[in-house]
Amino acid sequence: MLAIALPFSARDGHAQAADTARITRAVREICPGAQIRVSLHDGERMEGRCGAVTDARLLVRTPQGNAQIPLSGVKTLWVQRSYPTEATVLLAAAGAGIGFLVTPERSSAECIAKGNCSNRRDRIISGTTGAFVGALAGRFVGPRILSWVRLAP
């Protein structure tokens, strides 16, 4: 019976070591300071700020106090992230498009007076202004858009 169980336990140990190494790499990239959610193999869950990683243990700062978690006991690890860059780019592009599209046409009297009926320059100025306003909005809104991203496994 022991001969049958031994190969399976060795595989589980190898898989556990690989999971612990992956979790260690993930944690070292985000800690300290990131907001994390941790689910342990024993069913316990906690959420808090990530602290230092020492001796294969993770420090989690929760409102109830600090907790030292062995990385081998971590089942899943989630990190909260925001989207400032994505929001800035998206809103700048939207602002540029809207600015370009909503530029009013010049009146025929203005065309005759200036001798130039092209409003290409006006569209460029409106598009640039829209991109600038959109980028400012993205820098303000992006950090407030939060989601949880699973890091491990």
Side-chain angles (χ1 to χ4, degrees), residues 82-114:
S82 61
Y83 297 89
T85 304
E86 293 88 343
T88 300
V89 170
L90 179 65
L91 292 178
I98 291 168
F100 184 79
L101 292 174
V102 300
T103 303
E105 293 292 325
R106 291 187 178 175
S107 67
S108 59
E110 189 180 1
C111 288
I112 293 169
K114 290 187 176 180

Short mmCIF file of all heavy atoms in Angstrom, two decimals, residues 82-114:
data_model
loop_
_atom_site.label_atom_id
_atom_site.label_comp_id
_atom_site.label_asym_id
_atom_site.label_seq_id
_atom_site.Cartn_x
_atom_site.Cartn_y
_atom_site.Cartn_z
N SER A 82 -5.49 49.22 -10.38
CA SER A 82 -6.24 50.31 -10.99
C SER A 82 -5.77 50.46 -12.44
O SER A 82 -4.84 49.80 -12.87
CB SER A 82 -6.04 51.60 -10.21
OG SER A 82 -4.68 51.97 -10.22
N TYR A 83 -6.42 51.34 -13.17
CA TYR A 83 -6.17 51.44 -14.61
C TYR A 83 -5.90 52.88 -15.06
O TYR A 83 -6.55 53.38 -15.97
CB TYR A 83 -7.37 50.88 -15.37
CG TYR A 83 -7.58 49.41 -15.09
CD1 TYR A 83 -8.37 49.00 -14.02
CD2 TYR A 83 -6.97 48.44 -15.86
CE1 TYR A 83 -8.55 47.66 -13.74
CE2 TYR A 83 -7.14 47.11 -15.59
CZ TYR A 83 -7.93 46.73 -14.53
OH TYR A 83 -8.09 45.40 -14.26
N PRO A 84 -4.91 53.57 -14.50
CA PRO A 84 -4.67 54.96 -14.91
C PRO A 84 -4.17 55.09 -16.35
O PRO A 84 -4.64 55.96 -17.09
CB PRO A 84 -3.63 55.47 -13.92
CG PRO A 84 -2.98 54.26 -13.38
CD PRO A 84 -4.02 53.17 -13.42
N THR A 85 -3.28 54.23 -16.77
CA THR A 85 -2.75 54.33 -18.13
C THR A 85 -3.81 54.00 -19.17
O THR A 85 -3.98 54.73 -20.15
CB THR A 85 -1.54 53.38 -18.30
OG1 THR A 85 -0.57 53.71 -17.31
CG2 THR A 85 -0.93 53.51 -19.68
N GLU A 86 -4.53 52.92 -18.95
CA GLU A 86 -5.57 52.51 -19.90
C GLU A 86 -6.66 53.57 -20.01
O GLU A 86 -7.11 53.90 -21.11
CB GLU A 86 -6.19 51.18 -19.47
CG GLU A 86 -5.24 50.00 -19.57
CD GLU A 86 -4.40 49.78 -18.31
OE1 GLU A 86 -4.30 50.70 -17.47
OE2 GLU A 86 -3.83 48.69 -18.18
N ALA A 87 -7.09 54.13 -18.87
CA ALA A 87 -8.13 55.16 -18.89
C ALA A 87 -7.64 56.42 -19.57
O ALA A 87 -8.39 57.06 -20.33
CB ALA A 87 -8.59 55.47 -17.46
N THR A 88 -6.38 56.78 -19.35
CA THR A 88 -5.83 57.99 -19.98
C THR A 88 -5.79 57.84 -21.49
O THR A 88 -6.22 58.73 -22.22
CB THR A 88 -4.41 58.26 -19.43
OG1 THR A 88 -4.50 58.45 -18.03
CG2 THR A 88 -3.80 59.49 -20.08
N VAL A 89 -5.30 56.72 -21.98
CA VAL A 89 -5.21 56.50 -23.42
C VAL A 89 -6.61 56.43 -24.05
O VAL A 89 -6.87 57.07 -25.09
CB VAL A 89 -4.41 55.21 -23.72
CG1 VAL A 89 -4.51 54.82 -25.18
CG2 VAL A 89 -2.95 55.39 -23.31
N LEU A 90 -7.50 55.69 -23.43
CA LEU A 90 -8.86 55.54 -23.97
C LEU A 90 -9.60 56.88 -24.01
O LEU A 90 -10.19 57.25 -25.04
CB LEU A 90 -9.64 54.52 -23.14
CG LEU A 90 -11.08 54.28 -23.58
CD1 LEU A 90 -11.11 53.65 -24.96
CD2 LEU A 90 -11.79 53.41 -22.58
N LEU A 91 -9.57 57.62 -22.92
CA LEU A 91 -10.30 58.89 -22.90
C LEU A 91 -9.63 59.96 -23.75
O LEU A 91 -10.31 60.82 -24.31
CB LEU A 91 -10.47 59.37 -21.45
CG LEU A 91 -11.42 58.50 -20.62
CD1 LEU A 91 -11.50 59.01 -19.20
CD2 LEU A 91 -12.81 58.46 -21.24
N ALA A 92 -8.30 59.92 -23.89
CA ALA A 92 -7.63 60.85 -24.79
C ALA A 92 -8.03 60.57 -26.24
O ALA A 92 -8.32 61.50 -27.01
CB ALA A 92 -6.11 60.75 -24.64
N ALA A 93 -8.09 59.30 -26.61
CA ALA A 93 -8.51 58.95 -27.97
C ALA A 93 -9.97 59.33 -28.22
O ALA A 93 -10.31 59.88 -29.27
CB ALA A 93 -8.32 57.45 -28.21
N ALA A 94 -10.82 59.07 -27.23
CA ALA A 94 -12.23 59.45 -27.37
C ALA A 94 -12.38 60.96 -27.47
O ALA A 94 -13.14 61.47 -28.30
CB ALA A 94 -13.04 58.90 -26.19
N GLY A 95 -11.66 61.69 -26.64
CA GLY A 95 -11.71 63.15 -26.68
C GLY A 95 -11.22 63.71 -28.01
O GLY A 95 -11.81 64.65 -28.56
N ALA A 96 -10.17 63.13 -28.55
CA ALA A 96 -9.65 63.57 -29.85
C ALA A 96 -10.69 63.32 -30.94
O ALA A 96 -10.94 64.18 -31.79
CB ALA A 96 -8.35 62.86 -30.17
N GLY A 97 -11.28 62.14 -30.92
CA GLY A 97 -12.30 61.81 -31.93
C GLY A 97 -13.50 62.71 -31.84
O GLY A 97 -13.99 63.23 -32.86
N ILE A 98 -13.98 62.92 -30.63
CA ILE A 98 -15.15 63.80 -30.46
C ILE A 98 -14.81 65.23 -30.86
O ILE A 98 -15.59 65.88 -31.57
CB ILE A 98 -15.65 63.73 -28.99
CG1 ILE A 98 -16.25 62.35 -28.73
CG2 ILE A 98 -16.66 64.83 -28.71
CD1 ILE A 98 -16.52 62.07 -27.27
N GLY A 99 -13.64 65.70 -30.44
CA GLY A 99 -13.23 67.06 -30.81
C GLY A 99 -13.12 67.23 -32.32
O GLY A 99 -13.52 68.26 -32.88
N PHE A 100 -12.61 66.22 -32.97
CA PHE A 100 -12.45 66.27 -34.42
C PHE A 100 -13.81 66.25 -35.12
O PHE A 100 -14.05 66.99 -36.07
CB PHE A 100 -11.59 65.09 -34.89
CG PHE A 100 -11.29 65.11 -36.35
CD1 PHE A 100 -10.29 65.93 -36.85
CD2 PHE A 100 -11.98 64.30 -37.23
CE1 PHE A 100 -9.99 65.94 -38.20
CE2 PHE A 100 -11.71 64.31 -38.59
CZ PHE A 100 -10.71 65.14 -39.08
N LEU A 101 -14.71 65.42 -34.62
CA LEU A 101 -16.01 65.24 -35.28
C LEU A 101 -17.00 66.37 -35.03
O LEU A 101 -17.85 66.65 -35.88
CB LEU A 101 -16.63 63.91 -34.87
CG LEU A 101 -15.91 62.67 -35.38
CD1 LEU A 101 -16.54 61.42 -34.78
CD2 LEU A 101 -15.92 62.61 -36.90
N VAL A 102 -16.95 67.01 -33.90
CA VAL A 102 -17.96 68.02 -33.57
C VAL A 102 -17.52 69.44 -33.91
O VAL A 102 -18.20 70.40 -33.57
CB VAL A 102 -18.39 67.96 -32.08
CG1 VAL A 102 -18.96 66.63 -31.75
CG2 VAL A 102 -17.24 68.33 -31.16
N THR A 103 -16.42 69.59 -34.61
CA THR A 103 -15.97 70.92 -35.01
C THR A 103 -17.01 71.50 -35.97
O THR A 103 -17.35 70.88 -36.98
CB THR A 103 -14.60 70.85 -35.72
OG1 THR A 103 -13.68 70.22 -34.84
CG2 THR A 103 -14.10 72.22 -36.11
N PRO A 104 -17.52 72.70 -35.66
CA PRO A 104 -18.56 73.28 -36.53
C PRO A 104 -17.99 73.70 -37.89
O PRO A 104 -16.82 74.08 -38.00
CB PRO A 104 -19.05 74.49 -35.73
CG PRO A 104 -17.95 74.82 -34.79
CD PRO A 104 -17.21 73.55 -34.52
N GLU A 105 -18.83 73.62 -38.89
CA GLU A 105 -18.45 74.07 -40.23
C GLU A 105 -18.42 75.60 -40.25
O GLU A 105 -19.18 76.25 -39.55
CB GLU A 105 -19.46 73.56 -41.26
CG GLU A 105 -19.45 72.05 -41.43
CD GLU A 105 -18.17 71.53 -42.05
OE1 GLU A 105 -17.59 72.22 -42.91
OE2 GLU A 105 -17.76 70.43 -41.67
N ARG A 106 -17.55 76.14 -41.06
CA ARG A 106 -17.50 77.60 -41.20
C ARG A 106 -18.68 78.07 -42.03
O ARG A 106 -19.12 77.39 -42.95
CB ARG A 106 -16.21 78.01 -41.89
CG ARG A 106 -14.99 77.78 -41.02
CD ARG A 106 -13.79 78.36 -41.68
NE ARG A 106 -12.63 78.16 -40.82
CZ ARG A 106 -11.42 78.49 -41.16
NH1 ARG A 106 -11.18 79.03 -42.34
NH2 ARG A 106 -10.42 78.29 -40.34
N SER A 107 -19.14 79.24 -41.67
CA SER A 107 -20.25 79.81 -42.44
C SER A 107 -19.74 80.30 -43.78
O SER A 107 -18.55 80.59 -43.96
CB SER A 107 -20.91 80.96 -41.67
OG SER A 107 -20.00 82.04 -41.57
N SER A 108 -20.63 80.41 -44.75
CA SER A 108 -20.21 80.85 -46.09
C SER A 108 -19.69 82.29 -46.06
O SER A 108 -18.79 82.64 -46.80
CB SER A 108 -21.36 80.70 -47.08
OG SER A 108 -22.47 81.45 -46.66
N ALA A 109 -20.23 83.15 -45.18
CA ALA A 109 -19.73 84.53 -45.09
C ALA A 109 -18.30 84.53 -44.59
O ALA A 109 -17.46 85.32 -45.07
CB ALA A 109 -20.63 85.33 -44.15
N GLU A 110 -17.99 83.64 -43.63
CA GLU A 110 -16.63 83.56 -43.11
C GLU A 110 -15.68 83.03 -44.18
O GLU A 110 -14.55 83.49 -44.29
CB GLU A 110 -16.62 82.64 -41.88
CG GLU A 110 -15.33 82.64 -41.11
CD GLU A 110 -15.36 81.71 -39.90
OE1 GLU A 110 -16.38 81.05 -39.66
OE2 GLU A 110 -14.34 81.66 -39.21
N CYS A 111 -16.15 82.07 -44.97
CA CYS A 111 -15.32 81.52 -46.05
C CYS A 111 -14.98 82.61 -47.06
O CYS A 111 -13.83 82.73 -47.49
CB CYS A 111 -16.07 80.41 -46.79
SG CYS A 111 -16.24 78.89 -45.85
N ILE A 112 -15.95 83.40 -47.42
CA ILE A 112 -15.73 84.45 -48.41
C ILE A 112 -14.80 85.51 -47.85
O ILE A 112 -13.89 85.98 -48.53
CB ILE A 112 -17.08 85.06 -48.85
CG1 ILE A 112 -17.88 84.00 -49.60
CG2 ILE A 112 -16.87 86.31 -49.71
CD1 ILE A 112 -19.32 84.38 -49.86
N ALA A 113 -14.99 85.88 -46.58
CA ALA A 113 -14.16 86.93 -45.98
C ALA A 113 -12.71 86.49 -45.86
O ALA A 113 -11.80 87.27 -46.12
CB ALA A 113 -14.73 87.30 -44.62
N LYS A 114 -12.48 85.26 -45.43
CA LYS A 114 -11.10 84.79 -45.23
C LYS A 114 -10.51 84.18 -46.49
O LYS A 114 -9.30 84.00 -46.58
CB LYS A 114 -11.06 83.76 -44.10
CG LYS A 114 -11.31 84.38 -42.74
CD LYS A 114 -11.08 83.35 -41.66
CE LYS A 114 -11.23 84.02 -40.30
NZ LYS A 114 -11.02 83.10 -39.21
#
